[in-house]
Amino acid sequence: MSMIAWLLALAGFACLALAMEEHHHWLTGRDPSVRTRRRLRLAGALLLAASWLSTWATWGPAMGSVAWCGLLTLAAAPLVLARTYVNPRRR
């Protein structure tokens, strides 16, 4: 269940990052439309909520919330490292 929560958080953070103009342009080479940005924000929020619910169902509300905070750190780390060290247009 922890892997599912981590994957949901990773996907949620990816959606939230792509909802930002700078990150979206960095990855795709174009600016996102307003509609796309709204959809990505909604998807990111729903995926993070699903991640929290997954940890809550596994460990209960108190420990699940604490575990989720640590899980968010582990989910954000690969995205931060990718943004720092990967150039998507170099092939």
Side-chain angles (χ1 to χ4, degrees), residues 19-84:
M20 298 173 65
E21 287 181 21
E22 180 182 341
H23 298 309
H24 196 277
H25 190 271
W26 171 78
L27 188 63
T28 65
R30 58 185 173 82
D31 290 334
S33 67
V34 174
R35 188 177 193 179
T36 300
R37 291 177 67 201
R38 285 185 187 145
R39 286 181 177 177
L40 285 168
R41 277 191 225 129
L42 178 62
L46 291 175
L47 286 165
L48 287 176
S51 173
W52 178 77
L53 287 174
S54 177
T55 58
W56 185 82
T58 303
W59 291 302
M63 285 304 296
S65 295
V66 172
W68 184 65
C69 289
L71 195 78
L72 290 179
T73 303
L74 294 175
L79 296 174
V80 170
L81 291 172
R83 179 66 170 102
T84 304

